[in-house]
Amino acid sequence: MTDTLAMPSAPEEQSIGDAYVLRGVTKTYTQKGRTVQALRGIDLEIPRGQLVAVQGPTGGGKSTLLQMLGALDRPTSGSVQMGRNDLSTANDKELAKIRGVEIGFVFQGFNLIPTLSAAENVETAFATNELPRAERRRRSAEALASVGLQDRADHLPAELSGGQQQRVAIARALVKEPTVLLADEPTGALDEGTRDEIMALLEKVWHERLLTVVIVTHDSAVARRAERRLRIKDGAIKEV
Amino acid sequence: MFATYLRRELSNRKKQSIIIAIGMALAIALVILVNGVSAAVKDAETTALSSVNGVGTDITISKTAKPGSGNQRFAFGSGDQSSASDGSTKLSQSTLAAAMGTATYSSSALKKVKAVDGVSAATATLSLRNSTFSGQIAQGSGTSGGGTTGQSGAGGGAPSGASGTGGSGPSSFNVDSFSVAGITPGTTKVGPMSSTELSSGRYLKASDDGTYVTVLDASYAKSESLKVGSTLTMGGKKFTVVGIVKSTSSDSTTASNTYIPLDTAQKLADLDGKVSNIYVSAASAGDVATLKTALEKVLPSVTVNTQADLASSISGSLSTVSTLVANLGTWLSLLVLAAAFLIAVLFTISGVGRRTKEFGTLKAIGWSNGRIVRQVTGESLVNGLIGGAIGTVVGIAAIVIVNLISPTLSTDGATAGAAGGAGAPGGGGGAPGAAQAASSAATAISLHIPFTGGIVLIAVGLAVLGGLIAGAFGGWRAARLRPAEAFRSVA
């Protein structure tokens, strides 16, 4: 990895208000009989349309923070406000709905369904069947085209390179037009050249769609491209 | 998406799908076969019983005989003997009496039966046995004075004769015995006549009441070279044969050798106002058990048997197969079915375990628990249906093979209301009495498994049930999966 990536300019138009407001967030869980205090009283505001990078050592609480932001988990104490939604008190059904409409996820390991084609993987993002099938397919094709994979629509994940798989995952995250994009080590499994491609793609969609983007990364080069950098260590967070 | 995802998952996990499908197929095929054999055995039992009770009979009412009752006795008076030129004495006597093991009760019971709700039709019969003792006693034998008294049993064998030695010279006796059923003339819808058809002549009709006319079983008529218009002596009276009937079931014989008007039978057997059996047809097949209870209340001193009760009286290989199917077959099929369901459940749960990351991801992108449960259950259901389809084909193939082989089952000895056994030795010379049982003796019945749409319904039902059970467990496991924990466990 190199540290030569340039800092992007912020989107011309920013939404007003905070995408996230976290107050006194703690998270404790038990793993293999061991109690882990992953977050210790986090206070944080993330304005709408901001590109934020979260860095920190392994086990520092990066992924746990992302899960709180992504409505995947509720804090042990404190509150997580996402727009008008209080994620700390919402029930499972409400959290699933928020995830299905408001949040797009990009994972380090791509997390594509191995038996589905690229287009079908993108289509899984439509968590409900409210849209007609033809419309879902049209949007999926458009999303794939926007990441430059229109000619790989029928390929299975195993038939695609790592970079292509991550592009499919980004298309899946964006196809439902979320307000927030959360990426957990999105370039962690990619080589340097592909990393730049993926980051360029994320920056492009951030610019074009006025998204709030939170990227968890080990890579300082990736982190430096963000508007704002946060460091989390032993469950505590600070601005860099 | 549901169908595409389902199809891709099943085709991608072929090994697991095949194992589940084979397990389900084996279980369903076994259930189909056992169910089919069970139906075939039931049909065979019905066939065996219908030859005795008649096709339309749901319930029979009889009275349990006291031990030793029904033995026929010959009391020879001067009118039954004549002297021959060689000094020997010729004896001949024909008696008509209740068959061995048959108890009689008042015919007023029929009126009570007909008054019970749920009775569609009922008729009474009187089971008798005609025994003709004829023979010659040599001079010097003890036949004078009070006469000779002998005893003949009513049994299940063919009429036979025997000779014995009495006194100073050789004596010979012959005991001819056959079954006689006193029936209500004109009744063919319920009772013994309902499982017969005319070979020649006519059935007894209402105007035959009190007359000496008879209808013969075709086999008996053939063995005795009798035909319509012939005469036959019963109870010392000559009867004119007006019709010959044959069995409509697979049995070669009907319930009795001969049929005569009920009132004539009662008069000749000195059993005025008595009957031995009442045959009842229920208004609804579903109410037989209720009707049985009602009849038992009305007639507390008699035995009320349904076809199911009577089926237990069948013995022989039919009984063996019936027991085998009811016990081993049912339990085996249930065991295999449970094993197949268990395999399906375990594979589904293990499949969900392997797909933790996949389901965690789907939940993360907003799939609801319900949608994931539907996906898992759908996959299990289709797996089950594939197994059900294979199982149906295998089960039907097994049925076809069994029907091609067509194994023969036998019903040994007595069925309902039948009395059998060898007769006791006769008086002077010791003639073993034997008679054909009222019901059929060893009867061979081919096992034919009926193929019905119900079999396919059972297969589909079990396949759906198996799929739903496995899907429910798998879905429950998937629903419990929390996305954050899923990612943590995968990490």
Side-chain angles (χ1 to χ4, degrees):
Chain A
M1 296 273 180
T2 61
D3 293 347
T4 56
L5 295 169
M7 177 80 175
S9 58
E12 288 174 8
E13 244 181 273
Q14 289 277 359
S15 301
I16 298 166
D18 290 323
Y20 286 103
V21 177
L22 281 70
R23 291 286 176 258
V25 172
T26 66
K27 180 65 185 178
T28 306
Y29 58 84
T30 306
Q31 196 168 39
K32 293 176 182 172
R34 195 168 58 91
T35 302
V36 178
Q37 185 147 25
L39 299 177
R40 299 166 190 264
I42 301 278
D43 290 311
L44 178 67
E45 292 96 33
I46 300 175
R48 287 183 197 278
Q50 195 168 53
L51 172 57
V52 182
V54 181
Q55 285 185 280
T58 303
K62 300 187 301 293
S63 295
T64 307
L65 176 65
L66 203 68
Q67 285 166 4
M68 297 296 149
L69 299 176
L72 293 174
D73 212 349
R74 279 182 285 264
T76 307
S77 65
S79 69
V80 179
Q81 195 76 30
M82 182 192 183
R84 291 177 182 172
N85 301 307
D86 185 353
L87 305 186
S88 48
T89 55
N91 62 32
D92 286 352
K93 203 172 176 181
E94 288 164 344
L95 290 179
K97 194 174 178 185
I98 291 167
R99 290 195 301 268
V101 175
E102 302 281 343
I103 304 169
F105 277 98
V106 177
F107 303 94
Q108 179 180 3
F110 323 130
N111 291 24
L112 299 177
I113 309 300
T115 52
L116 298 179
S117 70
E120 289 159 354
N121 262 290
V122 174
E123 212 182 313
T124 58
F126 296 107
T128 60
N129 289 329
E130 285 167 2
L131 287 175
R133 193 179 181 189
E135 179 63 12
R136 293 200 304 268
R137 289 196 166 180
R138 188 187 65 75
R139 290 196 188 186
S140 299
E142 273 180 12
L144 271 182
S146 73
V147 297
L149 287 177
Q150 61 273 23
D151 57 340
R152 295 284 190 274
D154 296 329
H155 287 234
L156 291 174
E159 297 165 345
L160 300 172
S161 69
Q164 287 172 328
Q165 288 189 53
Q166 196 60 298
R167 283 166 182 269
V168 174
I170 291 170
R172 179 178 65 185
L174 297 175
V175 71
K176 60 189 175 189
E177 297 176 349
T179 58
V180 172
L181 181 67
L182 303 176
D184 189 2
E185 302 279 7
T187 59
L190 304 174
D191 60 38
E192 198 175 299
T194 313
R195 177 199 67 182
D196 291 348
E197 278 176 24
I198 293 300
M199 277 312 297
L201 181 61
L202 288 174
E203 286 161 6
K204 180 174 166 261
V205 297
W206 171 54
H207 269 283
E208 288 175 357
R209 301 181 185 226
L210 305 177
L211 285 171
T212 304
V213 180
V214 180
I215 300 174
V216 164
T217 181
H218 274 106
D219 191 339
S220 295
V222 170
R224 272 200 292 275
R225 298 179 71 150
E227 257 189 318
R228 182 183 178 193
R229 291 165 68 184
L230 301 170
R231 175 168 288 275
I232 189 165
K233 186 180 177 186
D234 295 331
I237 198 162
K238 63 176 183 180
E239 301 280 344
V240 175
Chain B
M1 178 48 63
F2 172 81
T4 308
Y5 192 14
L6 189 151
R7 195 177 65 245
R8 295 285 173 77
E9 284 302 319
L10 290 182
S11 59
N12 193 52
R13 297 172 211 282
K14 273 183 194 148
K15 196 174 170 186
Q16 177 184 317
S17 302
I18 288 170
I19 290 173
I20 293 175
I22 286 175
M24 294 287 274
L26 275 177
I28 288 168
L30 196 62
V31 169
I32 286 176
L33 188 62
V34 169
N35 194 276
V37 171
S38 177
V41 167
K42 206 165 274 179
D43 284 353
E45 285 175 348
T46 305
T47 300
L49 290 173
S50 68
S51 65
V52 180
N53 298 332
V55 173
T57 303
D58 297 309
I59 289 174
T60 56
I61 300 169
S62 58
K63 193 169 186 178
T64 307
K66 289 175 186 168
S69 64
N71 291 345
Q72 286 180 301
R73 298 176 68 83
F74 295 99
F76 297 101
S78 56
D80 300 316
Q81 49 188 290
S82 59
S83 297
S85 54
D86 60 357
S88 63
T89 304
K90 283 186 177 175
L91 298 169
S92 178
Q93 191 181 62
S94 177
T95 63
L96 193 60
M100 188 178 181
T102 300
T104 58
Y105 51 96
S106 172
S107 59
S108 63
L110 181 61
K111 210 171 188 178
K112 291 178 184 173
V113 167
K114 283 181 172 174
V116 172
D117 274 348
V119 172
S120 165
T123 187
T125 65
L126 181 60
S127 292
L128 301 173
R129 186 138 219 99
N130 185 82
S131 299
T132 303
F133 183 99
S134 57
Q136 190 170 18
I137 299 175
Q139 194 176 17
S141 299
T143 57
S144 56
T148 302
T149 300
Q151 193 177 59
S152 167
S160 63
S163 64
T165 305
S168 58
S171 301
S172 66
F173 304 97
N174 189 45
V175 178
D176 185 22
S177 177
F178 56 87
S179 56
V180 180
I183 61 171
T184 306
T187 304
T188 56
K189 298 290 181 194
V190 64
M193 288 291 102
S194 62
S195 59
T196 66
E197 63 182 11
L198 272 175
S199 289
S200 59
R202 63 169 175 85
Y203 282 114
L204 296 181
K205 54 188 180 184
S207 59
D208 290 330
D209 266 339
T211 63
Y212 298 104
V213 291
T214 183
V215 168
L216 304 183
D217 169 72
S219 298
Y220 179 73
K222 191 177 178 186
S223 68
E224 298 298 313
S225 304
L226 295 168
K227 54 187 180 184
V228 172
S230 301
T231 57
L232 177 68
T233 302
M234 286 181 269
K237 297 286 182 186
K238 282 197 171 175
F239 282 72
T240 305
V241 178
V242 294
I244 292 172
V245 293
K246 63 181 179 184
S247 171
T248 50
S249 71
S250 62
D251 272 354
S252 55
T253 58
T254 61
S256 180
N257 297 138
T258 67
Y259 302 90
I260 63 174
L262 179 61
D263 56 354
T264 305
Q266 288 168 331
K267 187 178 161 191
L268 288 179
D270 206 15
L271 290 168
D272 282 334
K274 298 285 184 185
V275 295
S276 59
N277 292 88
I278 294 175
Y279 298 86
V280 181
S281 179
S284 164
D287 293 339
V288 172
T290 315
L291 183 57
K292 178 187 174 181
T293 309
L295 290 170
E296 281 172 338
K297 272 188 186 171
V298 173
L299 302 167
S301 61
V302 298
T303 305
V304 180
N305 284 313
T306 62
Q307 290 278 351
D309 298 330
L310 296 175
S312 63
S313 67
I314 293 175
S315 61
S317 61
L318 176 58
S319 168
T320 309
V321 171
S322 176
T323 309
L324 206 64
V325 168
N327 298 321
L328 182 66
T330 303
W331 285 111
L332 188 67
S333 54
L334 282 177
L335 199 69
V336 174
L337 201 61
F341 282 9
L342 189 67
I343 288 170
V345 167
L346 291 178
F347 268 102
T348 306
I349 289 177
S350 139
V352 170
R354 279 201 306 274
R355 292 162 73 185
T356 297
K357 186 179 168 186
E358 189 174 313
F359 290 134
T361 304
L362 290 172
K363 285 194 172 190
I365 63 176
W367 278 41
S368 64
N369 272 340
R371 190 170 176 191
I372 289 177
V373 168
R374 278 197 297 278
Q375 193 69 42
V376 173
T377 307
E379 290 171 17
S380 295
L381 202 58
V382 171
N383 246 336
L385 286 173
I386 292 170
I390 298 171
T392 305
V393 171
V394 173
I396 291 171
I399 287 175
V400 169
I401 291 169
V402 170
N403 285 346
L404 282 175
I405 296 169
S406 191
T408 303
L409 301 175
S410 66
T411 59
D412 296 335
T415 51
Q436 190 176 8
S439 64
S440 60
T443 302
I445 297 172
S446 291
L447 196 69
H448 179 84
I449 301 178
F451 177 74
T452 61
I455 287 175
V456 178
L457 277 181
I458 288 171
V460 172
L462 288 174
V464 169
L465 183 68
L468 284 179
I469 289 174
F473 277 97
W476 169 74
R477 174 83 189 268
R480 283 183 63 220
L481 205 64
R482 302 186 71 82
E485 286 165 10
F487 291 132
R488 268 201 291 275
S489 70
V490 170

